Amino acid sequence: MKKPPAYRDPALSVDARVKDLLRRMIVEEKAMQLIQQTIGKDANPDNIGPDNPFDPLVGSVLAFDGGAAVRNAYQRAAVEKTRLGIPILWGYDVIHGWRTGFPVSLAQAGSFNPDLTERLSRVAAREAWADGGVNWAFSPMVEVAHDPRWGRVVEGYGEDPYTAGVFTAAVVRGYQGRKPGDLARPGHIAACLKHFVGYSASEGGRDYSYTDISGRALWEWHLPPFEAGVRAGARTLMSSFNDITGVPAVANYYTQTEILRHRWGFDGFVGSDWAAGAQLRDQGYADDPEPQTLAALLAGNDMDMCDGVFRCIPRLVEEGRLKAADLDRAVGRVLRVKFELGLFENPYVPELPVEKTCQLPDARDLALECARESIALLKNEPFCSVASSVSPQGAARNTPPGRSAATPLSEGGKTGKMPPYERGDAPKGQGGVLRAAGMHPLLPLDPCKVRRIALIGPMAESYQAHIGSWAARIASDATGATNYLEQVRAFFPKAKIDVEKGCGVVDDGDFDAIERAGAVAEKADLVLFACGEEGGQTGEYKSRIDLTLPGLQDALLTRLVAAGRPIVALVTAGRPLIIDRLLDQCAAVLYLWQSGARAAEAAMEILVGRVNPSAKLPMTFPRHVGQIPVYYNAHRRSRHWAKDYTADLEDALPDGPLLPFGFGLSYTEFAYGPVKVAKRGGGFAASVAVTNTGSVAGKETVFWYLTDVWATYTQPVRRVIGFEKVELAPGETKTVRLRIDPLRDLSYPDEDGQRILEEGEFRLSASGRAEASFAYCVPN
Ligand code: BGC
């Protein structure tokens, strides 16, 4: 019997198998490995269809449509009908779940619980593989974003590079497994860190716009999460659309080869983003497929997504313009990932009914667990009285930022103010102050005492509101998500419930409907205002200039306030919205983001106190778009640096962000002891004792903020170098510890990424609640 070729032998090393296979391939076969076609959409440049037949030699398929059976059929053609039988890599945008809907990435970050993200990514991989035949997820999107106008903030993990890195690594572990061999096991898929790099710096938050990124910004903000993902073992990256100091990312040698390969030792492959090769023409960088291909390939971009420009590779080789070694390098990287995925041994996925593979009980339970920790309580005060002098047509749109159109909810004129914060650090919970004054915050509610609820707002009965963009195959109807109405009924079985939309999400509608909603609110003893953005308002090409509640929702709020009943705002959104009016005029505000299939249920658990909210904001909330960018780790100003996070704007009072990074309330209070820093080995050991001083159990995230007081290059006011979420029973104290490694934590990058570690004074703060100074001296 003929001996099978060496590349088919799983006992050999991946290197040896790649080498053997490359040796057998002809140029046309190699070129096809670097090409990705799409299925399931019309009018895409390289969509498989009547004019563009499927080529079984293709390296990858981006599957907008079709599940396991379709994938197996294509795979069969590749594996059984081609000379070398190289399997196809089946890719898709699995972003926050496949069929089970988990919180969007930005909401996940707010949980500050990366363990949940690792677990949900594991489930997403399992479902995507079994139901969709997916081997390669185009996620995580790890870009640090400072501009909430940019629609894609929803896909990332917020404004902090350290946090984004921690969550990136969690996704990589969830998709690929924790051990090298895991990737080849059923239900494991390759991660793709995207978009490499700096896409989030789009000018003005406008998608696909120019990005002007200094070397320092690149190394300080944009690269760290990618480095964390590469170190966690991510097998692929996707290059971005933008350019970096004048060179488009897809053609950027510095980022894709110098940094990624030479410095970080990455040995997986880089794919382009959608038609980025062909878009080099739009950017005025390269006009035709040939220069586009050379620019991308020689810079280190190995696979081309869907625009067909790489089809000229054989001609380039024939004409001597592309060296065989350059082609082999890219092909070898793609093949390596296919071998690592075990595709040569197991090219097919089982074809099972969806009930056997998706939305299994453990997945649905996990969706609830994640939602509970992603939903942030942003305000919780007593309901006293409300000004009713506001006209239903709403004065608020033109209200100066930071001022309310209606008289704020008040307790001696004090409590309608924004939560206090000091230098942007997490504010102290307000509950204690209010209780001391004999007042009780509205939440948690006692379901037995609520007799009549008005559920008002465009999201009242929406399933979709909780799902968000890039929903893969997440079911948004009764088979997947729940909605508020169902959950209000379940959690308040004794209450009479009136439902009114009042207005649509974006319509410019009908003041009669608003008036009807107001009349319903007047009869209720609790108003739940289900407001916000819908999924389609964030995501790719979904930037906005106005971040207030869309459509007539602001006017609806005005009418509800005039009804004079306590309002709990339930906000769904894929970005920080400008919610100053909600914070002024509602007794409580719960920010759900888009927290997935079971978000509505988790929100009710929080309302009735079955769950104590613990999420913190992963992104700063501005008061006004004119403040953007506003983010916690900004560099110091030349005046008043101690008042960081503020801008002394002439017409923006009060100053500072509406809500700072790290903000989020709880039903309990946490006291912080002093921060202690001691020398340990060549570094430092820091600790802080945190005590739950309230009467219910709760979870607190301790943020470790570092300030480098004097440096050769100016430094951010502070930056997170660690965080930990701890659960504390009433009265319990836990000591939270941090190891400070000088090179990792005290150094900073220069414009070429070289780490600079300087002697001198540093300050370490625990959540802005306690702080210590220490000095670093180079050991003799
Ligand atoms: C997006 C990517 C996405 C790709 C495939 C592009 O337009 O920028 O994030 O992975 O499409 O859907």
Side-chain angles (χ1 to χ4, degrees):
M1 208 168 94
K2 208 170 145 210
K3 201 169 159 237
Y7 73 88
R8 295 222 158 266
D9 181 358
L12 291 181
S13 70
V14 168
D15 276 345
R17 297 177 78 183
V18 168
K19 213 165 151 201
D20 180 67
L21 181 49
L22 273 175
R23 192 171 59 78
R24 295 166 193 271
M25 293 169 80
I26 59 169
V27 169
E28 285 69 19
E29 286 166 332
K30 290 178 182 173
M32 283 310 291
Q33 282 304 306
L34 306 184
I35 289 173
Q36 185 178 56
Q37 293 186 294
T38 62
I39 58 164
K41 276 207 172 172
D42 295 329
N44 281 330
D46 212 353
N47 197 58
I48 294 165
D51 304 329
N52 185 30
F54 164 64
D55 185 336
L57 292 174
V58 79
S60 173
V61 167
L62 196 181
F64 288 103
D65 223 343
V70 174
R71 167 233 153 95
N72 282 346
Y74 278 80
Q75 195 70 298
R76 218 162 278 124
V79 170
E80 294 168 27
K81 303 268 182 309
T82 64
R83 195 173 69 89
L84 297 167
I86 303 174
I88 296 170
L89 202 48
W90 206 251
Y92 193 61
D93 291 285
V94 183
I95 310 291
H96 52 103
W98 177 255
R99 282 195 192 266
T100 305
F102 294 107
V104 294
S105 310
L106 190 56
Q108 290 173 39
S111 75
F112 285 93
N113 186 343
D115 175 55
L116 288 176
T117 288
E118 180 173 343
R119 286 164 58 204
L120 76 84
S121 304
R122 182 87 289 289
V123 170
R126 184 179 89 190
E127 292 190 353
W129 178 84
D131 183 56
V134 173
N135 303 116
W136 181 25
F138 302 142
S139 68
M141 193 208 85
V142 313
E143 287 165 271
V144 166
H146 291 164
D147 194 333
R149 292 170 298 184
W150 189 51
R152 304 199 77 166
V153 296
V154 65
E155 299 171 52
Y157 300 93
E159 73 191 25
D160 177 49
Y162 174 84
T163 304
V166 169
F167 278 86
T168 299
V171 178
V172 172
R173 288 194 301 272
Y175 286 169
Q176 301 189 168
R178 287 183 159 233
K179 299 188 291 302
D182 285 349
L183 191 56
R185 289 172 48 212
H188 290 71
I189 64 181
C192 176
L193 313 178
K194 73 184 190 186
H195 309 80
F196 196 59
V197 51
Y199 179 18
S200 58
S202 269
E203 277 181 343
R206 296 182 295 273
D207 221 351
Y208 314 136
S209 292
Y210 180 68
T211 50
D212 185 8
I213 306 171
S214 69
R216 294 216 60 211
L218 187 67
W219 284 96
E220 185 178 332
W221 288 321
H222 299 289
L223 287 171
F226 287 96
E227 185 171 4
V230 169
R231 304 261 176 253
R235 301 315 293 133
T236 78
L237 277 85
M238 184 187 291
S239 62
S240 51
F241 293 131
N242 59 290
D243 53 71
I244 303 137
T245 46
V247 182
V250 66
N252 201 303
Y253 182 87
Y254 178 60
T255 52
Q256 296 181 119
T257 297
E258 168 65 28
I259 296 175
L260 189 56
R261 310 278 176 185
H262 297 171
R263 300 199 198 174
W264 295 351
F266 176 69
D267 66 354
F269 75 87
V270 179
S272 72
D273 198 355
W274 187 266
Q279 281 163 201
L280 289 174
R281 171 189 283 270
D282 301 313
Q283 285 163 299
Y285 191 81
D287 50 1
D288 292 319
E290 292 173 7
Q292 289 162 357
T293 299
L294 287 172
L297 213 49
L298 297 180
N301 198 106
D302 307 303
M303 186 184 278
D304 179 53
M305 186 185 272
C306 304
D307 56 17
V309 300
F310 275 18
R311 286 180 188 270
C312 67
I313 287 176
R315 194 165 57 250
L316 289 171
V317 175
E318 198 182 306
E319 291 169 3
R321 294 161 70 194
L322 178 65
K323 290 200 210 96
D326 289 329
L327 176 60
D328 282 7
R329 195 173 46 237
V331 179
R333 290 167 180 163
V334 172
L335 294 176
R336 157 175 294 280
V337 174
K338 292 188 175 187
F339 281 117
E340 288 171 347
L341 277 162
L343 284 175
F344 284 83
E345 288 71 49
N346 298 302
Y348 307 116
V349 291
E351 293 171 29
L352 297 169
V354 63
E355 323 75 78
K356 292 257 187 287
T357 56
C358 294
Q359 299 204 68
L360 301 181
D362 68 322
R364 297 209 23 99
D365 288 352
L366 183 58
L368 181 60
E369 208 183 322
C370 294
R372 286 173 180 150
E373 294 209 24
S374 294
I375 298 174
L377 179 64
L378 301 184
K379 181 180 178 186
N380 185 23
E381 295 191 359
F383 172 69
C384 303
S385 63
V386 172
S388 52
S389 58
V390 187
S391 74
Q393 270 68 17
R397 268 296 157 84
N398 296 321
T399 305
R403 310 244 171 104
S404 50
T407 308
L409 295 168
S410 69
E411 183 222 340
K414 286 199 197 113
T415 57
K417 296 276 185 299
M418 294 310 104
Y421 66 90
E422 199 49 41
R423 294 172 45 215
D425 294 325
K428 299 167 188 70
Q430 302 155 75
V433 180
L434 298 170
R435 270 189 289 277
M439 307 288 291
H440 289 282
L442 184 67
L443 303 180
L445 300 160
D446 179 347
C448 301
K449 292 197 180 138
V450 186
R451 283 156 319 190
R452 190 155 183 175
I453 297 176
L455 173 61
I456 312 280
M459 310 302 186
E461 294 182 69
S462 168
Y463 298 99
Q464 186 62 42
H466 304 289
I467 300 303
S469 63
W470 294 109
R473 310 278 195 276
I474 296 170
S476 62
D477 58 11
T479 60
T482 56
N483 68 13
Y484 291 127
L485 179 58
E486 291 163 359
Q487 297 304 323
V488 174
R489 285 192 179 126
F491 279 76
F492 298 88
K494 299 206 173 109
K496 175 164 176 16
I497 298 154
D498 302 304
V499 195
E500 281 289 340
K501 265 173 88 168
C503 63
V505 181
V506 289
D507 63 18
D508 51 5
D510 162 11
F511 284 95
D512 291 344
I514 291 183
E515 187 44 42
R516 265 198 316 278
V520 163
E522 278 163 14
K523 290 192 229 121
D525 47 14
L526 176 72
V527 178
L528 297 178
F529 181 33
C531 56
E533 278 185 334
E534 52 193 7
Q537 288 176 291
T538 44
E540 187 176 359
Y541 214 30
K542 301 286 178 191
S543 297
R544 292 179 61 196
I545 54 165
D546 177 3
L547 300 186
T548 56
L549 290 176
L552 288 181
Q553 296 183 66
D554 234 1
L556 176 59
L557 171 65
T558 302
R559 179 62 187 90
L560 297 180
V561 171
R565 313 307 304 151
I567 305 173
V568 179
L570 304 169
V571 193
T572 44
R575 56 159 64 82
L577 289 175
I578 292 177
I579 52 166
D580 53 343
R581 289 201 62 218
L582 294 174
L583 291 172
D584 266 0
Q585 297 177 336
C586 302
V589 176
L590 217 52
Y591 212 80
L592 280 85
W593 303 103
Q594 287 135 348
S595 282
R598 299 189 72 183
E601 195 174 342
M604 293 307 130
E605 290 183 328
I606 291 173
L607 287 194
V608 303
R610 213 178 275 174
V611 165
N612 188 355
S614 62
K616 306 278 187 190
L617 298 180
M619 243 184 124
T620 299
F621 277 45
R623 288 181 190 282
H624 191 281
V625 286
Q627 275 181 311
I628 296 170
V630 55
Y631 51 96
Y632 91 92
N633 48 356
H635 279 240
R636 295 182 205 168
R637 307 169 58 212
S638 57
R639 285 194 180 177
H640 305 311
W641 74 265
K643 281 169 66 195
D644 58 273
Y645 231 157
T646 63
D648 296 340
L649 296 165
E650 197 55 33
D651 56 352
L653 289 171
D655 206 344
L658 185 62
L659 296 167
F661 172 88
F663 178 73
L665 300 173
S666 161
Y667 293 149
T668 189
E669 295 280 309
F670 299 99
Y672 280 63
V675 169
K676 296 181 185 156
V677 183
K679 280 197 182 144
R680 187 68 48 82
F684 299 88
S687 64
V688 67
V690 183
T691 305
N692 181 347
T693 57
S695 53
V696 288
K699 293 179 183 173
E700 169 74 340
T701 298
V702 175
F703 294 95
W704 292 107
Y705 291 112
L706 183 89
T707 299
D708 185 348
V709 182
W710 300 105
T712 304
Y713 288 75
T714 61
Q715 293 300 305
V717 174
R718 65 183 166 281
R719 58 187 167 91
V720 171
I721 59 166
F723 63 81
E724 189 177 334
K725 193 169 191 176
V726 284
E727 182 159 20
L728 294 166
E732 191 185 2
T733 299
K734 274 186 185 159
T735 299
V736 176
R737 296 176 198 282
L738 175 77
R739 268 212 69 80
I740 299 175
D741 175 274
L743 194 56
R744 183 189 62 203
D745 301 318
L746 305 182
S747 71
Y748 60 87
D750 72 4
E751 62 279 4
D752 184 35
Q754 305 307 325
R755 306 296 303 184
I756 300 176
L757 176 59
E758 294 178 312
E759 296 191 331
E761 185 190 349
F762 293 87
R763 276 203 301 270
L764 184 70
S765 148
S767 305
R769 303 281 301 276
E771 186 175 281
S773 291
F774 64 99
Y776 172 71
C777 307
V778 178
N780 295 321

